[in-house]
Amino acid sequence: MAQAGTVTRSPAGPVGAGWHNRRVNGWRAKLYRDDAVVLRGQKLGESDRIITLFTRRHGRIRAVAKGVRRTTSKFGARLEPFGHVDVQVAEGRSLHSVSQVEAIDLYGKRFIDDYPRYTTASAIAETAERLTPIEEEPALRLFLLTLGALRVLAEGLHTSSLVLDSYLLRAMALAGWAPALEECAVCGTEGQHRAFSVPAGGCVCQDCRPPGAAHPSPATLQLMAALATGDWPVADSSEAGPRREAAGLVAAHLQWHLERGLRSLPLVDRSSPKTSPTRGADENQRSTDGDLA
Amino acid sequence: MYEGAIQDLIDELGRLPGVGPKSAQRIAFHILSADPTDVKRLAVALQRVKEQVRFCTTCFNVAEAEQCRICRDPRRHDDVLCVVEEPKDVVAVERTGEFRGRYHVLGGAINPLEGIGPDHLKIRELMARLADGSVKELILATDPNTEGEATATYLALLVKPMGLAVTRLASGLPVGGDLEYADEITLGRAFEGRRAI
């Protein structure tokens, strides 16, 4: 079991504080604690998994969780995708290993009985993974955004497809790929422009409009701007047509920049109304750490 | 690096899942020193598995004929269908000796992160099996993890309009374990699924 060996917790208390050493297989392994979002798990050997974690202080890491596929595993359930966990990681020569896990909030269990939310959470997790191409490179703002998106999705505050598009727009902004929505992407002329060109980088004016540019409705561009800034009253009151059109433009913009399509995005179920807003739009306005609102 | 046949064998064994270069070398030298009849038996078994084993046309379990042993068995109940992810799950359920119905093997679970959607699984074939109305209960025995649970949710929603009973395997405490060592999710599930005695 992965808990083998004596592990000393940080006397300082807070998550992520301090480094410790532990002797593993005859050499000294560095141990650290951090809080993380579980992005995915891949089967390894008989009963292990490689867990991809998006940590607050250490960026994206991959760590082996031993024996977690056994029904007797102590912490396998806590390492299921989309959970927010407090994790202790032992650095290895090639792969790290997970030595302890405590649950902070396991969002995954709230997605499994709602297929649209499950597919949306998968697309969020894959985007976070793709936007952190270098392992162990801290990306605090993206971490907070990802955590906030999963939290909002779990709470069912907004329609899952809106949460996804808002997350994608803001994640792209953090990556430096925010689509121009309030000015021309080519010449910078301010104002609402009607044409949208993915290769040009967003809205374009009549003079700069390249051949093949899309002409989304003003409501679509208004929705995209609301999603990018977190104006949820506007986003929640949008119609189905602009939502569909905005989702297409956001996906096209993201995949243009990623150069390789997201595997989960075509599988996102945007059809079910099961995750429609359950509370009034005004009380949804939250400004907590990392929240999408 | 070795020469010729032994290195070829090490390379081939090293391509197997869970077999690293050291293990491949150990197995190769074991084969080299083994009795020739044992090695021949292994070679024949490998060849047979590729030539004779196929998927059952009804349930998609592994079979050596058009239909698997369970689908051919007239003593099995036709009105109960157990949906599992992989053929090895059929073996796990069969070991219990508790189930006398038939199976349907999906070939995996819905996992958008791996690009596996409903169209990649044998869900269309499952719906075709259910269409004749002979199945009265569908038991969803997908893995108790996020992907398995989401697949079960998807299937439950899909077959709900058909009006048949849809059940999910219970989750809870392993037999022989101590309550204090159970994680909070498993224990929570055990509480949710508690039953009167």
Side-chain angles (χ1 to χ4, degrees):
Chain A
M1 290 291 292
Q3 285 106 325
T6 53
V7 173
T8 47
R9 284 252 168 149
S10 163
V15 170
W19 287 78
H20 309 278
N21 289 324
R22 185 179 68 159
R23 192 166 286 280
V24 176
N25 297 334
W27 69 289
R28 231 166 235 295
K30 268 184 178 174
L31 281 179
Y32 63 81
R33 261 182 78 191
D34 206 342
D35 70 316
V37 172
V38 181
L39 296 181
R40 75 156 83 195
Q42 290 156 292
K43 287 179 183 178
L44 177 71
E46 283 278 311
S47 60
D48 308 337
R49 272 188 207 280
I50 296 175
I51 309 291
T52 304
L53 296 160
F54 191 4
T55 67
R56 185 182 290 264
R57 291 174 181 78
H58 299 83
R60 182 175 61 83
I61 61 166
R62 292 168 79 234
V64 175
K66 288 201 177 289
V68 290
R69 281 160 56 205
R70 292 187 205 279
T71 53
T72 50
S73 168
K74 279 277 285 174
F75 55 64
R78 296 177 196 138
L79 288 171
E80 284 295 304
F82 322 126
H84 182 205
V85 293
D86 174 1
V87 66
Q88 181 159 269
V89 177
E91 283 199 330
R93 271 175 278 197
S94 54
L95 271 174
H96 299 336
S97 63
V98 176
S99 58
Q100 285 187 15
V101 189
E102 296 290 337
I104 298 174
D105 207 336
L106 301 173
Y107 300 121
K109 66 182 179 185
R110 287 189 255 173
F111 301 150
I112 54 177
D113 59 354
D114 189 333
Y115 187 69
R117 282 204 285 177
Y118 167 64
T119 53
T120 301
S122 299
I124 289 172
E126 190 181 0
T127 306
E129 190 174 354
R130 292 286 297 279
L131 292 179
T132 50
I134 301 169
E135 286 190 29
E136 298 188 65
E137 191 174 81
L140 180 61
R141 292 179 69 192
L142 185 62
F143 169 80
L144 294 174
L145 184 72
T146 307
L147 184 57
L150 292 174
R151 185 187 298 149
V152 169
L153 195 62
E155 289 172 355
L157 297 175
H158 308 286
T159 309
S160 58
S161 64
L162 290 180
V163 174
L164 175 61
D165 291 333
S166 181
Y167 173 79
L168 296 179
L169 282 166
R170 295 198 212 183
M172 281 192 282
L174 292 178
W177 306 328
L181 297 169
E182 307 286 342
E183 70 282 320
C184 172
V186 179
C187 67
T189 306
E190 288 189 9
Q192 294 280 350
H193 304 292
R194 290 293 312 277
F196 190 97
S197 167
V198 169
C203 291
V204 282
C205 66
Q206 280 294 56
D207 296 336
C208 302
R209 184 170 59 92
H215 287 85
S217 69
T220 300
L221 296 174
Q222 189 189 13
L223 172 60
M224 286 176 72
L227 291 171
T229 55
D231 188 352
W232 285 106
V234 170
D236 285 337
S237 61
S238 58
E239 300 288 329
R243 286 184 186 189
R244 224 175 7 252
E245 204 171 25
L249 290 177
V250 171
H253 195 80
L254 176 70
Q255 305 210 37
W256 170 268
H257 286 286
L258 286 177
E259 293 177 352
R260 192 160 50 90
L262 289 178
R263 287 196 283 192
S264 55
L265 213 48
L267 299 172
V268 172
D269 184 345
R270 295 175 183 265
S271 60
S272 170
K274 208 174 170 186
T275 52
S276 295
T278 52
R279 301 179 200 176
D282 288 338
E283 67 183 86
N284 295 344
Q285 301 309 299
R286 293 157 59 94
S287 57
T288 50
D289 167 271
D291 214 332
L292 267 190
Chain B
M1 287 286 282
Y2 300 91
E3 283 180 7
I6 188 76
Q7 187 60 45
D8 290 346
L9 182 59
I10 291 169
D11 291 344
E12 290 304 317
L13 290 169
R15 289 167 59 188
L16 298 175
V19 180
K22 285 279 180 198
S23 300
Q25 185 176 295
R26 199 173 66 247
I27 297 166
F29 277 95
H30 172 79
I31 290 170
L32 197 61
S33 61
D35 191 89
T37 42
D38 291 341
V39 177
K40 195 159 189 177
R41 207 168 47 243
L42 173 67
V44 169
L46 286 171
Q47 211 160 7
R48 267 190 61 205
V49 82
K50 282 310 288 178
E51 285 170 1
Q52 294 179 15
V53 177
R54 57 183 117 162
F55 291 106
C56 170
T57 52
T58 307
C59 72
F60 302 97
N61 190 9
V62 285
E64 287 198 16
E66 194 169 310
Q67 284 195 311
C68 70
R69 178 180 51 83
I70 295 168
C71 286
R72 288 199 311 267
D73 189 347
R75 292 166 301 171
R76 308 285 302 210
H77 306 309
D78 286 325
D79 57 346
V80 192
L81 194 64
C82 179
V83 178
V84 295
E85 291 182 17
E86 304 286 350
K88 59 192 178 196
D89 299 329
V90 173
V91 177
V93 178
E94 283 295 289
R95 271 205 309 263
T96 66
E98 298 281 332
F99 180 67
R100 296 298 302 156
R102 302 205 187 266
Y103 292 92
H104 188 86
V105 181
L106 292 174
I110 296 172
N111 188 351
L113 287 165
E114 301 294 336
I116 301 170
D119 292 345
H120 298 90
L121 306 176
K122 303 293 183 191
I123 291 177
R124 201 173 295 122
E125 291 82 353
L126 171 66
M127 299 308 286
R129 282 183 81 178
L130 298 177
D132 68 1
S134 60
V135 176
K136 302 294 178 217
E137 183 185 357
L138 188 70
I139 302 171
L140 301 173
T142 49
D143 287 347
N145 53 30
T146 306
E147 295 83 15
E149 296 285 358
T151 307
T153 302
Y154 180 87
L155 290 176
L157 282 172
L158 211 59
V159 301
K160 211 174 181 180
M162 294 180 156
L164 68 160
V166 182
T167 54
R168 177 90 178 106
L169 286 192
S171 295
L173 301 166
V175 175
D178 285 4
L179 200 71
E180 62 173 309
Y181 292 117
D183 66 88
E184 62 273 20
I185 299 133
T186 308
L187 198 52
R189 289 272 191 93
F191 264 98
E192 277 173 22
R194 68 188 185 278
R195 59 187 170 85
I197 52 170

